[in-house]
Amino acid sequence: MSDTAGATNPTTVWVMGDQLDRTVGALGAARPGTHRILMIESQHLLERRRWHRQRAHLVITSMRRLAADLHADGFEVDYRAAPTIADGVRAHVEQFAPASVVVTEPNSRTGRRVADVVRAIQVRSDQFLCHHTEFAAWASDRRSLRMEDFYRWNRTRLGYLMDGDQPAGGRWNFDVDNREPPPKDGRSWPEPIRTPLDDLDRDVLASLPETCWGADPDGTWPTSRREAVRRLRHAIDVVLPRFGPHEDAMLTTSWHLAHTLLSPAINLGLLHPREVCDEIEIAYRSGLVPIASAEGLLRQIVGWREYVWGVYWLWGPAYADMNELGATRPLPPVYTGAPTSMRCVEHTMAAVHDYGWAHHIQRLMVLGNLALVSGVRPAELVEWMTVGFVDGAEWVMLPNVVGMALHADGGMIATKPYASGGAYIDRMSDYCKPCRYDRTKRTGPDACPFTTLYWDFIARHSERFERNARMIQPVRSAQRLTDLDAVRRQAVDLLGRLDAGQL
Ligand code: SF4
């Protein structure tokens, strides 16, 4: 696609693979004739990490489609494969001698390091609703950075679902309405929109390295702006009205329930969070969507998504190394394809294999919970989720895994660990009844591994947890267990089987 050497040395706009929004930053200011576009596929990045096939396909195909769209709109596009990103920039500069290379502030520290190394000019990003410097200013005079406080501040500032200075519907938080267990009426759920794969999809899939894993895509995830907008329309009109009440429920009969599935498109820049929030507002005001569902999705975007983005930058690289619970276990084989007889894990892993996606409760209370109670090293789960999920990114997964799932930050994000035995999973899913384990038992051959490992986890960290007011009750309960010694012996056996991929 690179067809002319620039006689007038236009400025190069370097577009990274998670910055595909034509309205944002450097690309938003680019014009054909005065700007040349640079996009790079890095062999090193692709081959060094164990990507899910759908994640790798999604990023590469979306980049190539954007490049084609830009070319069709008159831009000269230098789309190149290179050993590394930095090699690609250097080769481009050597070939075209641009007046300068500008890039929108990269979304990861790794990206910013590369931009620094190649001396690209970094322009401010408006890909998020709250720039991380604004987040830092908000955080500067606070002792604790509660997501709920940030959410209310950000929402008020942005004016979403607000009646004057009060929240629409009279409450900031509809979580209690949105925690219903799965319905037992056998209802169906909105079927995702799918786009038939084309030659480009097939070319990209054929070129992926052997190290990639997981199923091929079935067209669920949009790889162009046009298809992403179509998903947004569907999500607002068809899915969102049913989203709220069962957003935490888990069912073997549906991998998606009424989740909007928009996060991969938002995280790559195919959709801007502002347009999603605008649509939520319109849908609520027109009476199409109940407040609990509208607020539930708005909270995920204006609250949680922007919050993890803010703390990722605020707390810096040292946060990635935190491991307050001293977890040292390598990632168990069940995360990389070993079969399991734990029905909850089996079904969640099937969704990850088939779609590179699982919803927030499956991530937190099944995959994260198992890693937490078994003591998996945080960096290993961060890496697995970052490259294994279609919406994975360093800024997403670091706070979510280190802080939320594994409590490895000692409580900077969540005031207590999100650990649970089988009881929570049973209440929120249809996993347990046919499972070969009994979620009420903590010892014996049919004891639920989650229940056994939960009590072992509490006992293992009782000294630390006794200092946490929210954990005193579980610690006392563990101390009162008459069979605690047997539970802990059983946990040793379970962890050995987990490590061997035989649980
Ligand atoms: Fe998972 Fe335990 Fe329920 Fe089986 S009984 S599905 S292992 S929580």
Side-chain angles (χ1 to χ4, degrees), residues 341-345 421-422 425-426 431-432 435-439 448-451:
S341 49
M342 290 183 284
R343 207 159 173 268
C344 51
V345 178
I425 294 172
D426 185 39
Y431 294 147
C432 294
C435 183
R436 64 150 288 205
Y437 300 112
D438 180 342
R439 59 99 183 150
C448 165
F450 271 105
T451 302

Side-chain angles (χ1 to χ4, degrees), residues 138-156:
W138 169 82
S140 62
D141 58 352
R142 288 166 191 274
R143 291 227 322 266
S144 76
L145 304 183
R146 290 176 63 229
M147 193 289 282
E148 185 68 29
D149 295 338
F150 168 75
Y151 166 59
R152 293 180 189 189
W153 172 80
N154 205 25
R155 183 172 148 191
T156 304

Side-chain angles (χ1 to χ4, degrees), residues 17-18 45-46 49-63 204-205 208 212-217 221 223 263-264 267-268 352-357 382-397:
D18 59 353
L45 200 56
L46 188 60
R49 304 172 81 177
R50 221 172 150 263
W51 300 96
H52 194 295
R53 285 179 68 77
Q54 293 186 42
R55 172 73 196 288
H57 162 266
L58 175 63
V59 176
I60 295 170
T61 312
S62 300
M63 286 176 69
V204 171
L205 287 168
L208 295 181
C212 288
W213 62 281
D216 276 350
W221 309 116
T223 55
S263 54
N267 288 359
L268 289 189
V352 176
H353 174 272
D354 292 349
Y355 294 98
W357 188 90
V382 168
E383 172 65 11
W384 179 74
M385 286 198 164
T386 300
V387 300
F389 283 76
V390 282
D391 52 9
E394 189 176 285
W395 62 267
V396 175
M397 292 309 179

Side-chain angles (χ1 to χ4, degrees), residues 305-446:
R305 182 174 189 275
E306 298 278 328
Y307 176 81
V308 298
W309 166 250
V311 297
Y312 168 78
W313 288 106
L314 185 71
W315 289 334
Y319 188 81
D321 297 326
M322 293 193 80
N323 189 1
E324 288 288 299
L325 297 182
T328 55
R329 184 170 304 286
L331 192 71
V334 70
Y335 290 84
T336 50
T340 176
S341 49
M342 290 183 284
R343 207 159 173 268
C344 51
V345 178
E346 181 190 23
H347 277 274
T348 302
M349 281 306 305
V352 176
H353 174 272
D354 292 349
Y355 294 98
W357 188 90
H359 73 64
H360 61 286
I361 295 298
Q362 291 170 307
R363 296 185 199 202
L364 183 65
M365 299 310 294
V366 178
L367 301 174
N369 190 15
L370 181 63
L372 172 65
V373 295
S374 64
V376 170
R377 201 179 297 137
E380 297 209 19
L381 192 66
V382 168
E383 172 65 11
W384 179 74
M385 286 198 164
T386 300
V387 300
F389 283 76
V390 282
D391 52 9
E394 189 176 285
W395 62 267
V396 175
M397 292 309 179
L398 263 181
N400 270 300
V401 172
V402 172
M404 202 59 187
L406 299 186
H407 205 67
D409 63 0
M412 291 166 72
I413 286 185
T415 50
K416 74 178 188 63
Y418 276 83
S420 90
Y424 173 84
I425 294 172
D426 185 39
R427 187 164 66 252
M428 296 308 297
S429 77
D430 65 353
Y431 294 147
C432 294
K433 215 168 175 189
C435 183
R436 64 150 288 205
Y437 300 112
D438 180 342
R439 59 99 183 150
T440 65
K441 292 190 179 165
R442 52 184 177 261
T443 57
D446 59 345

